[in-house]
């Protein structure tokens, strides 16, 4: 027998240059984020009020902020947090959304109607109030922040997957799986979910950045990360306030976020193609 | 000479290189004559005609040579606007699928008027009179003038298409598989309609078809194409009686005809029947389900299977024929409990399938399998052949992880697939090969009973003959019992021991194949049999 789906996918992915570049950049970001405490020369809360905001210099490569803190250090520490939020909350949204949507779409009928009305109702609730409620009830913690964001983002995923599954379950290969005698759980896992991967991956790569921005917004409201800790979103929103005087406070965190998003999009596109056996050119 | 095509060549450029779709094709046609272009899918028969009228996308397509003189004017050298005039005035098209060629948002009347009002500048009222006249000629009542396409059946839609083609009084009609999507009785009506209109208005017709037996009765000339080239041409009688080329003979041999050779061992022991079906009913709820559906008064259900009783003896191949919408597919799926059954019982040996718990039914499924119509939809695109075939084996514990590869290879051998294709995905195979994979999957769990739902109707004739032969071999080798669902009466006659005729959810007639075909009792069966296009010989 020939190579499995994963090996073939990897081979296809390797031939896709933009996706490979995206993956490399993302990997670099993750490695930097992991190693940050050991490679930065300054502490993220280390202030130098005499210095104030300075443009990039040999000592402070990306300049300093109004409190004289090294921007490179703060961006690296911010990246740790933003990447963690992005990946954990998206993974959560992915797991809940895909399984919820797949079950609703596959079972159909009244079960589907009930499940999707629950989603509609949750959709209608203002996200902020929902998250603030969670924070108030359970206290403020980073873990809860991840959970809260994930708990909001899964709903769109569930809708996308459900629509996919609804058309898939009418296909003859799913009927053939029923005819073989496979139980519903196995049909969903083996025959349905793999065929929804394309849109799911694309949406996941779009969710990661939107999650990062949501975190920035929550932090801005004082519900997320608290100073002196930081995240890219928070750095950007602070940078906006002073962008006319000290543009580097906005530009560098902006570049960090934007390049991550770009890398994610390229990688997502590449993954979708690589996981689709039809795109094989060999 | 109305149309004279000489040395037409068309190429398509793709990433994989240049494909010559039409290679040096020449033919000619007089007014009032019918030319049939016959070939299998990919033979270039459609591209050839579309090239004439600038209907192929360029690029990737490119007409690389030839001339096409239509009333003395070279179509291939004509400008786009000249071609548009010719398409509107002198040459009309009918396509295979009338639904996709009609605008769903306009009434058919509106669509009939448009060419007259827009291109001919005829007043609306005059155009309307002409439209009603044409509708009457194709057998559509005037009151349906303001109906939308979805309110028509497939056959009626094709009549609308013919009306649209005729309304401009063309000199040449190009019909691309106009009856392929239609039931056999409707097909006969449409063919008769085209022929009679052709005689009355002296229209030349180019009839593109994959089916030699369809064109046998009314074409003057036949052009057989393969791989973009003309293999053979000649009058109908010559092609059928004295075919010169091997490929033509192969096509003719692939036309299912004759009857099943009955086994000499008539002494089949009188065992209990394998399947006993009593008063089976499958109804579909009218649309509008969901939560809101609960609030509405229930609409009358669609009775797809409406009180059906029969038995299937062990070892028989039973044909189930009927037109689309007769409920034959629903019946097949209901037998296997792939659909929720409304009422009635299905006994498989001593088991009543309806009384089984879900898990017991799943275990029972290894004994009863299904082969589906569309080999493009019935295989999971993300699973290799090996994975697809291993799934039933592993699930029903008929093989272990260790010896599953060997069993898969055996299965592939049985259906004539090479071992090297085990790691390939469905999209890498042709339709016929895919159907072989689907058949291998169905026999993997060594079932006693198989429902084959139109297993060859999506395939080319020569492939069709191969798959039918394979099915017969497998039935003999494994002692299978089969319900063979088909709209093609000649295929059923060749394959089946017994036949059931289904009409509007009920079985109107059943019996031994030769009895049914020899002296049909029910009027519906008689009408069905009369409509089968009979190839000479």
């Amino acid at each position: 027998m020939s190579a499995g789906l994963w090996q073939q996918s990897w081979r296809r992915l390797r031939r896709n240059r933009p996706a490979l570049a995206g993956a490399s950049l993302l990997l670099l970001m993750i490695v930097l984020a992991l190693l940050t405490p050991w490679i930065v020369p300054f502490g993220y809360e280390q202030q130098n009020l005499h210095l104030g905001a300075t443009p990039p210099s040999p000592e402070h490569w990306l300049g300093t902020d109004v409190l004289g803190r090294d921007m490179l250090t703060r961006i690296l520490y911010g990246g740790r947090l933003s990447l963690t939020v992005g990946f954990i909350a998206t993974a959560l949204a992915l797991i809940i959304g895909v399984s919820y949507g797949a079950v609703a779409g596959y079972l159909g009928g009244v079960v589907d109607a009930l499940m999707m009305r629950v989603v509609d109702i949750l959709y209608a609730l203002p996200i902020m109030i929902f998250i603030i409620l969670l924070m108030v009830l359970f206290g403020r913690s980073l873990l809860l922040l991840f959970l809260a964001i994930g708990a909001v983002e899964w709903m769109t995923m569930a809708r996308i997957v459900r629509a996919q599954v609804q058309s898939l379950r009418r296909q003859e290969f799913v009927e053939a799986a029923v005819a073989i005698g496979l139980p519903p759980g196995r049909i969903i896992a083996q025959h349905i979910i793999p065929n929804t991967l394309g849109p799911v991956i694309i949406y996941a790569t779009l969710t990661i950045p939107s999650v990062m921005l949501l975190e920035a917004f929550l932090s801005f409201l004082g519900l997320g990360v608290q100073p002196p800790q930081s995240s890219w979103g928070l750095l950007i929103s602070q940078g906006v306030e002073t962008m006319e005087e000290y543009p580097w406070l906005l530009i560098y965190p902006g570049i960090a976020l934007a390049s991550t998003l770009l890398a994610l999009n390229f990688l997502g596109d590449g993954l979708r193609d690589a996981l689709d056996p039809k795109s094989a050119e060999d | 000479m109305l149309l004279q095509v000489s040395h037409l060549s068309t190429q398509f450029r793709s990433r994989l290189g240049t494909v010559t779709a039409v290679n040096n094709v020449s033919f000619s046609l007089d007014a009032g004559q019918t030319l049939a272009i016959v070939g299998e899918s990919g033979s270039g028969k459609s591209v050839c005609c579309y090239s004439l009228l600038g209907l192929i996308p360029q690029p990737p397509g490119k007409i690389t040579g030839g001339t096409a003189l239509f009333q003395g004017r070279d179509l291939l050298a004509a400008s786009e606007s000249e071609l548009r005039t010719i398409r509107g005035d002198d040459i009309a098209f009918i396509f295979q699928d009338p639904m996709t060629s009609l605008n769903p948002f306009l009434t058919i009347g509106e669509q009939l008027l448009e060419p007259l009002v827009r291109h001919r500048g005829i007043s609306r009222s005059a155009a309307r009179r002409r439209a009603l006249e044409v509708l009457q000629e194709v057998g559509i009542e005037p009151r349906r003038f303001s109906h939308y396409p979805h309110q028509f059946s497939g056959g009626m839609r094709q009549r609308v298409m013919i009306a649209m083609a005729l309304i401009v009084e063309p000199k040449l009609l190009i019909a691309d598989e106009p009856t392929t999507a239609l039931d056999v009785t409707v097909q006969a009506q449409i063919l008769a309609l085209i022929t009679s209109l052709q005689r009355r208005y002296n229209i030349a017709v180019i009839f593109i078809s994959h089916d030699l037996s369809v064109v046998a009765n009314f074409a003057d000339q036949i052009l057989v194409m393969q791989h973009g080239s003309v293999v053979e041409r000649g009058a109908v009688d010559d092609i059928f009686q004295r075919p010169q080329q091997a490929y033509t003979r192969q096509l003719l041999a692939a036309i299912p005809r004759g009857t099943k050779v009955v086994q000499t061992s008539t002494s089949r022991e009188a065992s209990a029947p394998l399947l006993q079906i009593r008063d089976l009913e499958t109804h579909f709820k009218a649309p509008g389900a969901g939560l809101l559906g609960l609030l509405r008064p229930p609409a009358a259900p669609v009775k797809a299977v409406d009180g059906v009783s029969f038995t299937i003896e062990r070892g028989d191949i039973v044909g189930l024929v009927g037109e689309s919408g007769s409920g034959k597919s629903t019946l097949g799926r209901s037998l296997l409990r792939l659909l929720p059954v409304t009422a009635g019982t299905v006994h498989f040996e001593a088991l009543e399938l309806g009384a089984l718990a879900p898990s017991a039914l799943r275990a029972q499924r290894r004994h009863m399998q299904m082969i589906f119509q569309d080999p493009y939809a019935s295989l999971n695109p993300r699973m290799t052949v090996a994975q697809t075939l291993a799934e039933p084996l592993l699930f029903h514990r008929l093989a272990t992880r260790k010896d599953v590869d060997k069993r898969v290879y055996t299965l592939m051998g049985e259906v004539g697939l090479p071992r090297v294709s085990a790691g390939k995905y469905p999209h890498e195979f042709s339709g016929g090969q895919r159907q072989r994979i689907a058949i291998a999957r169905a026999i993997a769990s060594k079932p006693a009973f198989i429902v084959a739902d139109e297993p060859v109707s999506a395939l080319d004739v020569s492939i069709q003959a191969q798959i039918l032969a394979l099915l017969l071999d497998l039935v003999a080798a494994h002692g299978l019992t089969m319900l063979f669902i088909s709209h093609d009466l000649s295929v059923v006659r060749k394959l089946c021991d017994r036949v059931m005729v289904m009409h509007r959810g009920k079985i109107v007639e059943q019996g031994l194949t030769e009895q049914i075909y020899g002296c049909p009792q029910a009027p519906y069966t008689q009408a069905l049999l009369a409509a089968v296009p009979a190839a000479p010989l």
Side-chain angles (χ1 to χ4, degrees):
Chain A
M1 315 248 154
S2 83
L5 181 66
W6 296 110
Q7 278 163 289
Q8 288 199 5
S9 304
W10 172 233
R11 225 183 304 145
R12 282 195 288 266
L13 188 65
R14 259 187 333 203
R15 278 201 299 253
N16 186 334
R17 279 164 195 280
L20 215 55
S24 316
L25 182 63
L26 216 56
L27 203 66
L28 179 73
M29 294 276 189
I30 292 170
V31 170
L32 282 179
L34 288 174
L35 298 180
T36 299
W38 295 278
I39 55 173
V40 291
F42 306 95
Y44 64 87
E45 74 281 64
Q46 191 181 326
Q47 300 183 359
N48 186 346
L49 292 174
H50 300 295
L51 201 57
T54 56
S57 62
E59 198 186 347
H60 298 283
W61 290 356
L62 301 183
T64 55
D65 70 1
V66 284
L67 297 177
R69 293 177 295 196
D70 182 54
M71 274 310 279
L72 179 60
T73 308
R74 289 188 59 77
I75 288 174
L76 286 174
Y77 269 103
R80 267 164 88 85
L81 203 116
S82 285
L83 288 173
T84 319
V85 172
F87 283 107
I88 292 187
T90 302
L92 201 68
L94 211 62
I95 292 166
I96 304 177
V98 169
S99 38
Y100 194 93
V103 168
Y106 185 74
L107 294 180
V110 179
V111 180
D112 172 48
L114 283 173
M115 285 176 82
M116 292 326 282
R117 288 310 79 76
V118 169
V119 171
D120 290 348
I121 291 167
L122 289 179
Y123 239 115
L125 290 179
I127 297 170
M128 279 308 130
I129 294 184
F130 179 66
I131 292 177
I132 292 168
L133 264 179
L134 278 180
M135 297 281 177
V136 170
L137 282 179
F138 297 103
R140 215 157 49 195
S141 78
L142 274 187
L143 183 69
L144 195 67
L145 182 70
F146 299 156
L147 290 180
I149 295 177
V152 170
E153 294 287 335
W154 69 269
M155 290 183 282
T156 314
M157 189 71 85
R159 284 184 167 178
I160 291 173
V161 171
R162 169 180 171 266
Q164 287 277 312
V165 172
Q166 276 193 323
S167 71
L168 280 172
R169 82 179 164 129
R170 278 185 254 277
Q171 300 236 354
E172 284 184 347
F173 71 82
V174 174
E175 216 176 352
V178 177
I180 285 171
L182 301 184
R186 194 150 159 188
I187 294 174
I188 292 178
Q190 179 81 41
H191 292 275
I192 292 194
I193 289 183
N195 283 293
T196 62
L197 276 181
V200 165
I201 288 172
I202 293 299
Y203 186 70
T205 55
L206 293 177
T207 303
I208 294 177
S210 83
V211 160
M212 289 179 180
L213 295 176
L214 185 59
E215 176 272 327
F217 181 51
L218 290 175
S219 301
F220 182 71
L221 290 183
L223 291 168
V225 184
Q226 292 309 300
Q229 276 196 329
S230 194
S231 70
W232 287 343
L234 206 54
L235 286 174
I236 290 172
S237 65
Q238 288 164 351
V240 170
E241 294 166 22
T242 56
M243 79 180 169
E244 281 178 22
E245 297 88 354
Y246 319 118
W248 61 91
L249 294 188
L250 175 61
I251 290 172
Y252 295 119
I255 289 176
L257 184 64
S259 57
T260 309
L261 305 195
L262 217 56
L264 275 168
N265 277 328
F266 282 134
L267 180 62
D269 261 3
L271 273 178
R272 179 195 52 186
D273 292 343
L275 287 171
D276 184 358
K278 276 193 215 104
S279 67
E281 276 172 57
D282 41 8
Chain B
M1 199 67 65
L2 181 72
L3 175 67
Q4 178 146 29
V5 175
S6 20
H7 310 295
L8 174 69
S9 292
T10 305
Q11 295 185 333
F12 283 94
R13 219 175 288 274
S14 77
R15 265 187 319 189
L16 302 168
T18 308
V19 180
T20 306
V22 177
N23 185 13
N24 198 15
V25 168
S26 307
F27 59 86
S28 59
L29 190 60
D30 285 322
Q33 288 254 307
T34 301
L35 170 76
I37 304 184
V38 178
E40 299 186 289
S41 50
S43 61
K45 55 192 194 298
S46 295
V47 176
C48 169
C49 292
Y50 293 181
S51 300
L52 297 181
L53 291 181
L55 288 177
I56 54 165
Q58 309 190 41
K62 187 169 169 27
I63 295 169
T64 50
T67 55
L69 295 178
F70 179 73
Q71 297 182 311
R73 194 147 134 218
D74 189 0
L75 294 174
L76 301 183
S79 72
E80 177 54 35
S81 67
E82 284 172 323
L83 277 178
R84 212 163 5 206
T85 318
I86 293 173
R87 284 201 296 260
D89 283 352
D90 296 326
I91 303 182
F93 258 98
I94 309 176
F95 299 96
Q96 174 173 349
D97 184 355
M99 193 62 202
T100 51
S101 8
L102 289 169
N103 184 338
F105 291 102
L106 292 179
T107 64
I108 60 143
E110 208 49 54
Q111 297 183 54
L112 279 168
L113 293 185
E114 192 191 284
L116 294 184
V117 177
R118 284 266 185 87
H119 303 299
R120 295 273 170 89
I122 298 174
S123 74
R124 270 192 82 86
S125 59
R128 193 187 154 88
R129 267 198 307 281
R130 168 80 184 130
L132 287 172
E133 210 177 280
V134 175
L135 278 182
Q136 196 169 10
E137 285 202 61
V138 299
I140 293 178
E141 297 167 58
R143 66 175 179 89
R144 308 206 67 179
F145 185 81
S146 52
H147 284 189
Y148 289 89
H150 73 266
Q151 293 171 293
F152 292 83
S153 66
M156 290 305 257
R157 265 185 236 132
Q158 202 56 288
R159 283 171 191 266
V160 173
M161 283 304 295
I162 294 174
M164 288 180 71
L166 285 177
I167 200 163
V168 294
E169 297 169 32
K171 301 194 176 62
L172 172 63
L173 177 69
I174 298 178
D176 187 3
E177 304 258 9
T179 58
T180 306
L182 303 177
D183 282 322
V184 57
T185 50
V186 183
Q187 163 171 300
Q189 292 164 11
I190 296 288
L191 293 178
L193 176 67
I194 293 178
T195 329
S196 78
L197 292 171
Q198 172 186 21
R199 292 228 179 83
R200 194 170 334 153
Y201 296 105
N202 201 30
I203 304 170
V205 174
I206 297 180
F207 194 97
I208 304 172
S209 179
H210 67 281
D211 193 340
L212 267 172
S213 53
V214 167
V215 302
N217 291 322
F218 66 93
D220 299 303
Q221 296 275 319
I222 294 182
L223 201 68
V224 180
M225 285 186 70
Q226 186 192 20
H227 305 319
S229 304
V230 176
V231 175
E232 186 164 0
R233 72 182 77 217
V236 174
D237 283 349
D238 289 336
I239 295 282
F240 275 88
Q241 310 300 341
R242 292 172 290 281
Q244 302 299 314
Q245 301 298 322
Y247 180 69
T248 314
R249 282 196 285 270
Q250 192 189 324
L251 277 185
L252 285 167
I255 297 176
R257 62 178 109 216
T259 61
K260 184 171 184 176
V261 184
V262 183
Q263 297 95 330
T264 41
S265 58
T266 44
S267 58
R268 182 182 285 155
E269 61 263 49
S271 58
L274 183 69
L275 259 90
Q276 272 183 295
I277 289 88
R278 288 270 162 280
D279 304 320
L280 193 69
E281 287 179 26
T282 303
H283 298 178
F284 291 115
K285 256 187 297 187
L291 279 190
L292 282 177
L294 297 177
L295 304 176
R296 272 186 231 128
V302 178
K303 297 179 179 175
V305 176
D306 190 14
V308 162
S309 303
F310 59 93
T311 58
I312 295 181
E313 302 290 335
R314 204 174 285 277
D316 269 359
I317 303 181
V318 179
L320 179 60
V321 298
E323 308 199 321
S324 53
S326 61
K328 52 191 197 304
S329 282
T330 307
L331 176 56
R333 284 168 164 79
S334 303
L335 293 189
L336 301 183
R337 296 271 155 177
L338 289 174
L339 287 173
V341 169
T342 313
T345 58
V346 176
H347 279 92
F348 188 100
E349 293 174 322
L351 281 176
E352 209 278 272
L353 296 181
L356 293 178
S359 60
L361 179 62
R362 285 201 287 270
Q364 175 67 18
R365 288 200 182 282
R366 66 163 278 217
H367 302 294
M368 42 190 214
Q369 280 296 307
M370 178 139 183
I371 300 167
F372 295 88
Q373 170 173 7
D374 182 359
Y376 292 88
S378 65
L379 298 170
N380 186 339
R382 284 174 193 268
M383 282 166 76
T384 62
V385 176
Q387 288 168 337
T388 298
L389 297 184
E391 189 168 45
L393 294 172
L394 292 172
F395 180 74
H396 290 295
R397 297 181 201 288
L398 300 170
T400 59
R401 286 258 164 225
K402 255 189 253 155
D403 66 356
V404 71
D405 284 5
K406 222 176 77 197
R407 295 272 290 112
V408 165
Y409 287 142
T410 315
L411 276 171
M412 291 178 66
E414 277 193 84
V415 298
L417 285 170
R419 267 186 180 213
V420 287
S421 46
K424 289 190 182 169
Y425 288 91
H427 70 95
E428 298 171 70
F429 294 93
S430 67
Q433 286 174 312
R434 288 185 198 210
Q435 201 57 301
R436 287 176 192 268
I437 303 170
I439 291 171
R441 174 179 59 191
I443 62 166
S445 59
K446 299 210 177 299
F449 176 60
I450 288 184
V451 173
D453 186 4
E454 304 262 14
V456 295
S457 59
L459 306 174
D460 277 328
V461 269
S462 57
I463 311 292
Q464 184 173 334
Q466 293 166 13
I467 296 291
L468 289 176
L470 172 67
L471 280 177
L472 274 178
D473 285 351
L474 291 173
V475 164
H478 295 269
L480 292 170
T481 306
M482 185 181 284
L483 180 71
F484 188 89
I485 302 173
S486 180
H487 68 282
D488 188 332
L489 289 129
S490 8
V491 167
V492 167
R493 185 173 196 175
K494 184 152 186 210
L495 202 71
C496 299
D497 305 289
R498 296 175 60 82
V499 176
M500 302 191 290
V501 182
M502 203 164 173
H503 184 52
R504 296 195 182 156
K506 291 186 178 357
I507 289 180
V508 293
E509 187 163 4
Q510 54 177 312
L512 293 173
T513 307
E514 273 326 287
Q515 275 171 10
I516 301 272
Y517 281 75
C519 66
Q521 300 298 312
Y524 178 72
T525 316
Q526 291 164 356
L528 206 57
L529 285 169
V532 177
L537 205 88

